[in-house]
Amino acid sequence: MRRLSWLFCPFILISLCWPIQSIAASDSELFSKQGYRITNYRRPLPAEAPAGKRIETEALADLINQSNPVLLDVLAITLRPESAQFGLSWLPASPRQHLPGSIWLPNVGYGYLEPCMRAWLERTLHRLTGGDLDRAVVFYCVTDCWMSWNVVKRASALGYRNLYWYPEGSDGWAAAGLPLVAAEPQPLPGMTAGQKDTLFDCPATDLKAALERSDESDKQGLLLFFETHHCPFCQRMRAGVLADPGLIAEYRRNFVALALDMESDQPLTDFDGTVTSAREVAQRLGVVRSPTLLFLNNQGEEEYRYSGLIVDPRRFRSLADYVSGGHHQNIGFKTYYKQQQD
């Protein structure tokens, strides 16, 4: 009998280890490499906040009365991309009610954020807190919503130190008999008439649709800006030439511009309608460094690429003229730019 017990031990060990392996495999599908939840967002939540503090309804009511924190509602809704017929707009499936005094920032709680959405979140947090990293900020959604968990983690990565996660969300607030008010989602850049403070369309989820929109709008094609979130040169361009209103207007006259995070695995519709990612598109097009500006015609064919930092507005404007005027077919950009300055 003793020999038999030894024979059965390996099978017992395998059966005990198997559930652990299954859980690990499941976690790898639910979370990104950076630890953000990337699917199944409406599921039971963990007990601990990813950063800052978890706060319950009664404590939150006291905090609001005493400290006037920033309240951010991050419930996700449908975003209709800009097209030749329609402007960029939020499309809520039903009226939203949230905590009084809250700001509704939809879709910033996804595990993968496109560069334009990430920049919108960063700018909005800076504006609402006045740049004070110690200002109390509360994030919530609805019950069993991982979106708020993700944003707390992301805000902590941005350096904010006084963060609160309210996992019960608007459902828990209402269940406690506390009032809710009608909510309106904050507009993205480009939603307000005349407002175009960013060159790039948001969201950049469909290359095929962007190419069709360029053709329908009689533009010359696409400008793809390949970047990474940790690229200092990309950030300098975003804060400089890519934020210049005159240059934005110049580029938008001729191109539909999209920013792609070349390290992102978020689903992206390719030119042929298949589902891919920005990482795979960058690899297929041979983009190996950031920032890279890639100009494509309305057939999706490459016309010109420029790799590296541009900080001089004159040089960036000259690049637009160089490609839109067809000069790239006959002369190098360095020579063209020198001729323009002489």
Side-chain angles (χ1 to χ4, degrees):
M1 291 297 294
R2 183 174 298 173
R3 179 177 296 177
L4 286 175
S5 66
W6 279 103
L7 288 173
F8 279 111
C9 269
F11 295 97
I12 295 172
L13 289 173
I14 290 173
S15 66
L16 289 174
C17 291
W18 178 254
I20 297 173
Q21 293 171 343
S22 299
I23 292 171
S26 177
D27 282 351
S28 68
E29 296 172 356
L30 293 174
F31 295 89
S32 70
K33 294 178 181 178
Q34 293 75 32
Y36 295 100
R37 182 82 170 201
I38 56 175
T39 187
N40 295 342
Y41 292 102
R42 292 302 305 275
R43 293 292 188 276
L45 297 167
E48 299 295 326
K53 303 174 183 177
R54 176 180 177 133
I55 191 168
E56 306 301 331
T57 301
E58 184 176 352
L60 177 56
D62 291 339
L63 180 69
I64 292 173
N65 290 330
Q66 297 170 8
S67 303
N68 189 31
V70 175
L71 301 174
L72 288 183
D73 176 6
V74 298
L75 181 71
I77 53 177
T78 300
L79 175 61
R80 181 179 64 190
E82 185 177 3
S83 66
Q85 293 80 26
F86 302 102
L88 187 70
S89 60
W90 295 117
L91 298 176
S94 59
R96 168 71 171 153
Q97 290 198 317
H98 64 188
L99 280 64
S102 297
I103 301 295
W104 187 8
L105 293 184
N107 299 15
V108 296
Y110 283 109
Y112 291 120
L113 281 191
E114 296 171 32
C116 55
M117 292 296 289
R118 186 170 60 244
W120 182 52
L121 171 63
E122 292 176 9
R123 289 197 304 268
T124 304
L125 279 173
H126 186 273
R127 174 174 58 84
L128 294 175
T129 62
D132 182 0
L133 297 178
D134 291 313
R135 176 77 185 275
V137 186
V138 180
F139 298 94
Y140 71 92
C141 184
V142 292
T143 300
D144 290 338
C145 173
W146 282 84
M147 295 276 179
S148 57
W149 189 93
N150 275 347
V151 186
V152 171
K153 180 177 176 66
R154 188 163 279 121
S156 176
L158 292 172
Y160 291 89
R161 295 182 284 264
N162 195 8
L163 304 175
Y164 293 88
W165 177 46
Y166 180 45
E168 297 176 60
S170 53
D171 294 335
W173 192 261
L178 296 169
L180 298 174
V181 297
E184 289 293 334
Q186 289 289 296
L188 282 166
M191 285 185 175
T192 304
Q195 179 188 14
K196 287 290 183 185
D197 65 354
T198 178
L199 172 60
F200 305 112
D201 284 11
C202 190
T205 56
D206 195 327
L207 296 178
K208 181 180 180 182
L211 204 60
E212 291 172 350
R213 185 163 74 253
S214 171
D215 191 38
E216 292 169 356
S217 305
D218 293 325
K219 297 186 179 183
Q220 295 189 12
L222 303 186
L223 166 60
L224 302 183
F225 179 69
F226 288 92
E227 62 179 342
T228 63
H229 71 277
H230 51 74
C231 164
F233 290 166
C234 304
Q235 294 167 10
R236 284 187 64 185
M237 288 189 67
R238 276 189 169 274
V241 294
L242 296 176
D244 184 300
L247 294 174
I248 289 173
E250 180 80 18
Y251 272 82
R252 279 186 169 270
R253 270 196 292 271
N254 295 300
F255 306 102
V256 171
L258 304 174
L260 298 177
D261 183 345
M262 55 192 293
E263 295 180 344
S264 173
D265 294 312
Q266 184 174 2
L268 173 72
T269 302
D270 210 339
F271 297 111
D272 61 0
T274 60
V275 177
T276 182
S277 68
R279 183 195 300 273
E280 292 174 348
V281 170
Q283 291 173 350
R284 190 185 75 241
L285 296 176
V287 178
V288 296
R289 59 182 296 194
S290 61
T292 290
L293 295 155
L294 191 64
F295 295 86
L296 306 176
N297 60 30
N298 284 327
Q299 288 71 50
E301 301 164 340
E302 180 176 339
E303 289 288 336
Y304 185 73
R305 74 172 61 193
Y306 184 100
S307 294
L309 173 67
I310 301 181
V311 295
D312 187 343
R314 295 172 301 175
R315 189 177 186 86
F316 195 58
R317 177 174 283 106
S318 185
L319 180 61
D321 297 337
Y322 174 69
V323 178
S324 63
H327 305 289
H328 62 288
Q329 298 174 357
N330 305 309
I331 188 174
F333 177 62
K334 185 180 294 186
T335 302
Y336 174 80
Y337 180 66
K338 186 176 184 302
Q339 290 177 352
Q340 298 304 303
Q341 303 309 305
D342 291 341

mmCIF file of all heavy atoms in Angstrom, residues 214-242:
data_model
loop_
_atom_site.group_PDB
_atom_site.id
_atom_site.type_symbol
_atom_site.label_atom_id
_atom_site.label_comp_id
_atom_site.label_asym_id
_atom_site.label_seq_id
_atom_site.Cartn_x
_atom_site.Cartn_y
_atom_site.Cartn_z
ATOM 1 N N SER A 214 -10.947 60.192 -46.248
ATOM 2 C CA SER A 214 -10.022 61.054 -46.972
ATOM 3 C C SER A 214 -10.431 61.182 -48.430
ATOM 4 O O SER A 214 -10.460 62.280 -48.994
ATOM 5 C CB SER A 214 -8.600 60.494 -46.872
ATOM 6 O OG SER A 214 -7.719 61.196 -47.721
ATOM 7 N N ASP A 215 -10.779 60.065 -49.043
ATOM 8 C CA ASP A 215 -11.172 60.068 -50.453
ATOM 9 C C ASP A 215 -12.470 60.843 -50.654
ATOM 10 O O ASP A 215 -12.592 61.650 -51.583
ATOM 11 C CB ASP A 215 -11.314 58.626 -50.935
ATOM 12 C CG ASP A 215 -11.453 58.529 -52.447
ATOM 13 O OD1 ASP A 215 -10.787 59.302 -53.162
ATOM 14 O OD2 ASP A 215 -12.234 57.684 -52.917
ATOM 15 N N GLU A 216 -13.446 60.606 -49.762
ATOM 16 C CA GLU A 216 -14.739 61.291 -49.876
ATOM 17 C C GLU A 216 -14.606 62.795 -49.664
ATOM 18 O O GLU A 216 -15.387 63.577 -50.209
ATOM 19 C CB GLU A 216 -15.716 60.714 -48.845
ATOM 20 C CG GLU A 216 -16.122 59.272 -49.115
ATOM 21 C CD GLU A 216 -16.866 58.665 -47.941
ATOM 22 O OE1 GLU A 216 -16.995 59.359 -46.907
ATOM 23 O OE2 GLU A 216 -17.313 57.504 -48.050
ATOM 24 N N SER A 217 -13.626 63.200 -48.865
ATOM 25 C CA SER A 217 -13.435 64.616 -48.539
ATOM 26 C C SER A 217 -12.461 65.307 -49.488
ATOM 27 O O SER A 217 -12.077 66.455 -49.249
ATOM 28 C CB SER A 217 -12.917 64.753 -47.102
ATOM 29 O OG SER A 217 -13.775 64.110 -46.187
ATOM 30 N N ASP A 218 -12.064 64.598 -50.552
ATOM 31 C CA ASP A 218 -11.129 65.145 -51.545
ATOM 32 C C ASP A 218 -9.798 65.552 -50.922
ATOM 33 O O ASP A 218 -9.181 66.544 -51.335
ATOM 34 C CB ASP A 218 -11.754 66.344 -52.276
ATOM 35 C CG ASP A 218 -12.935 65.942 -53.147
ATOM 36 O OD1 ASP A 218 -12.890 64.835 -53.716
ATOM 37 O OD2 ASP A 218 -13.898 66.716 -53.236
ATOM 38 N N LYS A 219 -9.371 64.775 -49.931
ATOM 39 C CA LYS A 219 -8.041 64.993 -49.372
ATOM 40 C C LYS A 219 -7.056 64.050 -50.054
ATOM 41 O O LYS A 219 -7.443 63.150 -50.797
ATOM 42 C CB LYS A 219 -8.064 64.781 -47.859
ATOM 43 C CG LYS A 219 -8.974 65.789 -47.159
ATOM 44 C CD LYS A 219 -8.903 65.686 -45.648
ATOM 45 C CE LYS A 219 -9.816 66.729 -45.020
ATOM 46 N NZ LYS A 219 -9.754 66.744 -43.544
ATOM 47 N N GLN A 220 -5.795 64.257 -49.797
ATOM 48 C CA GLN A 220 -4.773 63.511 -50.525
ATOM 49 C C GLN A 220 -4.447 62.164 -49.907
ATOM 50 O O GLN A 220 -3.788 61.343 -50.535
ATOM 51 C CB GLN A 220 -3.506 64.357 -50.635
ATOM 52 C CG GLN A 220 -3.701 65.615 -51.472
ATOM 53 C CD GLN A 220 -2.393 66.328 -51.741
ATOM 54 O OE1 GLN A 220 -1.312 65.794 -51.497
ATOM 55 N NE2 GLN A 220 -2.481 67.545 -52.243
ATOM 56 N N GLY A 221 -4.883 61.928 -48.681
ATOM 57 C CA GLY A 221 -4.601 60.646 -48.053
ATOM 58 C C GLY A 221 -4.457 60.770 -46.556
ATOM 59 O O GLY A 221 -4.998 61.689 -45.932
ATOM 60 N N LEU A 222 -3.705 59.855 -45.986
ATOM 61 C CA LEU A 222 -3.542 59.788 -44.539
ATOM 62 C C LEU A 222 -2.150 60.234 -44.118
ATOM 63 O O LEU A 222 -1.173 60.043 -44.842
ATOM 64 C CB LEU A 222 -3.752 58.355 -44.032
ATOM 65 C CG LEU A 222 -5.069 57.652 -44.335
ATOM 66 C CD1 LEU A 222 -5.105 56.311 -43.607
ATOM 67 C CD2 LEU A 222 -6.257 58.510 -43.959
ATOM 68 N N LEU A 223 -2.099 60.818 -42.930
ATOM 69 C CA LEU A 223 -0.842 61.031 -42.229
ATOM 70 C C LEU A 223 -0.898 60.179 -40.971
ATOM 71 O O LEU A 223 -1.754 60.392 -40.106
ATOM 72 C CB LEU A 223 -0.660 62.501 -41.857
ATOM 73 C CG LEU A 223 0.455 62.792 -40.839
ATOM 74 C CD1 LEU A 223 1.808 62.326 -41.367
ATOM 75 C CD2 LEU A 223 0.483 64.265 -40.472
ATOM 76 N N LEU A 224 -0.028 59.195 -40.869
ATOM 77 C CA LEU A 224 0.046 58.341 -39.687
ATOM 78 C C LEU A 224 1.246 58.770 -38.854
ATOM 79 O O LEU A 224 2.380 58.791 -39.344
ATOM 80 C CB LEU A 224 0.185 56.868 -40.090
ATOM 81 C CG LEU A 224 -0.917 56.290 -40.985
ATOM 82 C CD1 LEU A 224 -0.662 54.807 -41.240
ATOM 83 C CD2 LEU A 224 -2.294 56.502 -40.373
ATOM 84 N N PHE A 225 0.969 59.119 -37.611
ATOM 85 C CA PHE A 225 2.021 59.527 -36.676
ATOM 86 C C PHE A 225 2.271 58.363 -35.726
ATOM 87 O O PHE A 225 1.459 58.067 -34.856
ATOM 88 C CB PHE A 225 1.575 60.766 -35.900
ATOM 89 C CG PHE A 225 2.578 61.268 -34.888
ATOM 90 C CD1 PHE A 225 3.767 61.848 -35.296
ATOM 91 C CD2 PHE A 225 2.315 61.182 -33.527
ATOM 92 C CE1 PHE A 225 4.685 62.323 -34.369
ATOM 93 C CE2 PHE A 225 3.221 61.652 -32.591
ATOM 94 C CZ PHE A 225 4.415 62.231 -33.016
ATOM 95 N N PHE A 226 3.388 57.677 -35.907
ATOM 96 C CA PHE A 226 3.731 56.537 -35.063
ATOM 97 C C PHE A 226 4.529 57.039 -33.859
ATOM 98 O O PHE A 226 5.549 57.719 -34.011
ATOM 99 C CB PHE A 226 4.547 55.515 -35.849
ATOM 100 C CG PHE A 226 3.740 54.753 -36.859
ATOM 101 C CD1 PHE A 226 3.644 55.198 -38.173
ATOM 102 C CD2 PHE A 226 3.058 53.600 -36.498
ATOM 103 C CE1 PHE A 226 2.893 54.502 -39.108
ATOM 104 C CE2 PHE A 226 2.304 52.893 -37.423
ATOM 105 C CZ PHE A 226 2.219 53.345 -38.735
ATOM 106 N N GLU A 227 4.055 56.667 -32.673
ATOM 107 C CA GLU A 227 4.672 57.128 -31.437
ATOM 108 C C GLU A 227 4.624 56.024 -30.396
ATOM 109 O O GLU A 227 4.033 54.955 -30.611
ATOM 110 C CB GLU A 227 3.933 58.363 -30.908
ATOM 111 C CG GLU A 227 2.478 58.092 -30.551
ATOM 112 C CD GLU A 227 1.760 59.314 -30.008
ATOM 113 O OE1 GLU A 227 2.428 60.272 -29.583
ATOM 114 O OE2 GLU A 227 0.517 59.306 -30.001
ATOM 115 N N THR A 228 5.261 56.266 -29.261
ATOM 116 C CA THR A 228 5.108 55.425 -28.076
ATOM 117 C C THR A 228 4.880 56.353 -26.891
ATOM 118 O O THR A 228 5.272 57.530 -26.929
ATOM 119 C CB THR A 228 6.349 54.549 -27.819
ATOM 120 O OG1 THR A 228 7.475 55.397 -27.560
ATOM 121 C CG2 THR A 228 6.648 53.650 -29.012
ATOM 122 N N HIS A 229 4.259 55.832 -25.845
ATOM 123 C CA HIS A 229 3.907 56.699 -24.723
ATOM 124 C C HIS A 229 5.128 57.150 -23.932
ATOM 125 O O HIS A 229 5.062 58.120 -23.177
ATOM 126 C CB HIS A 229 2.909 55.997 -23.798
ATOM 127 C CG HIS A 229 3.491 54.870 -23.006
ATOM 128 N ND1 HIS A 229 3.629 53.601 -23.517
ATOM 129 C CD2 HIS A 229 3.988 54.825 -21.745
ATOM 130 C CE1 HIS A 229 4.178 52.819 -22.603
ATOM 131 N NE2 HIS A 229 4.407 53.528 -21.529
ATOM 132 N N HIS A 230 6.270 56.463 -24.101
ATOM 133 C CA HIS A 230 7.475 56.837 -23.360
ATOM 134 C C HIS A 230 8.498 57.551 -24.243
ATOM 135 O O HIS A 230 9.663 57.675 -23.871
ATOM 136 C CB HIS A 230 8.113 55.589 -22.738
ATOM 137 C CG HIS A 230 8.317 54.458 -23.713
ATOM 138 N ND1 HIS A 230 9.305 54.465 -24.672
ATOM 139 C CD2 HIS A 230 7.630 53.302 -23.884
ATOM 140 C CE1 HIS A 230 9.234 53.364 -25.389
ATOM 141 N NE2 HIS A 230 8.227 52.632 -24.934
ATOM 142 N N CYS A 231 8.070 58.023 -25.407
ATOM 143 C CA CYS A 231 8.974 58.676 -26.363
ATOM 144 C C CYS A 231 9.029 60.182 -26.083
ATOM 145 O O CYS A 231 8.046 60.893 -26.316
ATOM 146 C CB CYS A 231 8.477 58.409 -27.785
ATOM 147 S SG CYS A 231 9.179 59.478 -29.053
ATOM 148 N N PRO A 232 10.152 60.720 -25.579
ATOM 149 C CA PRO A 232 10.218 62.155 -25.266
ATOM 150 C C PRO A 232 10.123 63.035 -26.510
ATOM 151 O O PRO A 232 9.562 64.138 -26.450
ATOM 152 C CB PRO A 232 11.577 62.304 -24.573
ATOM 153 C CG PRO A 232 12.379 61.131 -25.032
ATOM 154 C CD PRO A 232 11.397 60.017 -25.234
ATOM 155 N N PHE A 233 10.651 62.576 -27.643
ATOM 156 C CA PHE A 233 10.554 63.358 -28.872
ATOM 157 C C PHE A 233 9.098 63.461 -29.340
ATOM 158 O O PHE A 233 8.671 64.504 -29.843
ATOM 159 C CB PHE A 233 11.414 62.734 -29.969
ATOM 160 C CG PHE A 233 12.901 62.865 -29.742
ATOM 161 C CD1 PHE A 233 13.801 62.121 -30.480
ATOM 162 C CD2 PHE A 233 13.396 63.735 -28.783
ATOM 163 C CE1 PHE A 233 15.170 62.239 -30.276
ATOM 164 C CE2 PHE A 233 14.760 63.868 -28.562
ATOM 165 C CZ PHE A 233 15.648 63.114 -29.307
ATOM 166 N N CYS A 234 8.340 62.370 -29.171
ATOM 167 C CA CYS A 234 6.917 62.394 -29.528
ATOM 168 C C CYS A 234 6.179 63.418 -28.674
ATOM 169 O O CYS A 234 5.338 64.186 -29.169
ATOM 170 C CB CYS A 234 6.297 61.008 -29.334
ATOM 171 S SG CYS A 234 7.117 59.678 -30.238
ATOM 172 N N GLN A 235 6.486 63.444 -27.389
ATOM 173 C CA GLN A 235 5.829 64.380 -26.477
ATOM 174 C C GLN A 235 6.190 65.824 -26.817
ATOM 175 O O GLN A 235 5.342 66.722 -26.726
ATOM 176 C CB GLN A 235 6.217 64.038 -25.041
ATOM 177 C CG GLN A 235 5.686 62.686 -24.577
ATOM 178 C CD GLN A 235 6.315 62.209 -23.283
ATOM 179 O OE1 GLN A 235 7.032 62.954 -22.609
ATOM 180 N NE2 GLN A 235 6.078 60.952 -22.936
ATOM 181 N N ARG A 236 7.431 66.049 -27.222
ATOM 182 C CA ARG A 236 7.827 67.406 -27.622
ATOM 183 C C ARG A 236 7.070 67.852 -28.861
ATOM 184 O O ARG A 236 6.638 69.006 -28.952
ATOM 185 C CB ARG A 236 9.334 67.456 -27.888
ATOM 186 C CG ARG A 236 10.197 67.461 -26.639
ATOM 187 C CD ARG A 236 11.657 67.670 -26.987
ATOM 188 N NE ARG A 236 11.896 68.987 -27.580
ATOM 189 C CZ ARG A 236 13.071 69.378 -28.065
ATOM 190 N NH1 ARG A 236 14.111 68.544 -28.050
ATOM 191 N NH2 ARG A 236 13.216 70.586 -28.579
ATOM 192 N N MET A 237 6.878 66.953 -29.802
ATOM 193 C CA MET A 237 6.124 67.309 -31.001
ATOM 194 C C MET A 237 4.656 67.558 -30.666
ATOM 195 O O MET A 237 4.035 68.485 -31.203
ATOM 196 C CB MET A 237 6.263 66.214 -32.059
ATOM 197 C CG MET A 237 7.637 66.154 -32.704
ATOM 198 S SD MET A 237 7.728 65.028 -34.126
ATOM 199 C CE MET A 237 6.669 65.878 -35.318
ATOM 200 N N ARG A 238 4.096 66.745 -29.787
ATOM 201 C CA ARG A 238 2.695 66.944 -29.403
ATOM 202 C C ARG A 238 2.495 68.292 -28.714
ATOM 203 O O ARG A 238 1.466 68.947 -28.893
ATOM 204 C CB ARG A 238 2.227 65.819 -28.484
ATOM 205 C CG ARG A 238 1.773 64.567 -29.231
ATOM 206 C CD ARG A 238 1.114 63.586 -28.287
ATOM 207 N NE ARG A 238 0.451 62.507 -28.994
ATOM 208 C CZ ARG A 238 -0.786 62.556 -29.471
ATOM 209 N NH1 ARG A 238 -1.495 63.660 -29.324
ATOM 210 N NH2 ARG A 238 -1.316 61.526 -30.090
ATOM 211 N N ALA A 239 3.458 68.693 -27.917
ATOM 212 C CA ALA A 239 3.348 69.964 -27.202
ATOM 213 C C ALA A 239 3.718 71.154 -28.085
ATOM 214 O O ALA A 239 3.393 72.297 -27.746
ATOM 215 C CB ALA A 239 4.246 69.944 -25.966
ATOM 216 N N GLY A 240 4.371 70.885 -29.211
ATOM 217 C CA GLY A 240 4.842 71.961 -30.072
ATOM 218 C C GLY A 240 4.111 72.032 -31.395
ATOM 219 O O GLY A 240 2.980 72.508 -31.476
ATOM 220 N N VAL A 241 4.735 71.533 -32.452
ATOM 221 C CA VAL A 241 4.184 71.699 -33.803
ATOM 222 C C VAL A 241 2.827 71.016 -33.974
ATOM 223 O O VAL A 241 1.977 71.493 -34.738
ATOM 224 C CB VAL A 241 5.175 71.175 -34.863
ATOM 225 C CG1 VAL A 241 6.433 72.032 -34.895
ATOM 226 C CG2 VAL A 241 5.532 69.709 -34.625
ATOM 227 N N LEU A 242 2.596 69.910 -33.270
ATOM 228 C CA LEU A 242 1.332 69.193 -33.424
ATOM 229 C C LEU A 242 0.178 69.872 -32.696
ATOM 230 O O LEU A 242 -0.978 69.469 -32.856
ATOM 231 C CB LEU A 242 1.478 67.751 -32.924
ATOM 232 C CG LEU A 242 2.460 66.878 -33.707
ATOM 233 C CD1 LEU A 242 2.597 65.507 -33.059
ATOM 234 C CD2 LEU A 242 2.010 66.729 -35.159
#
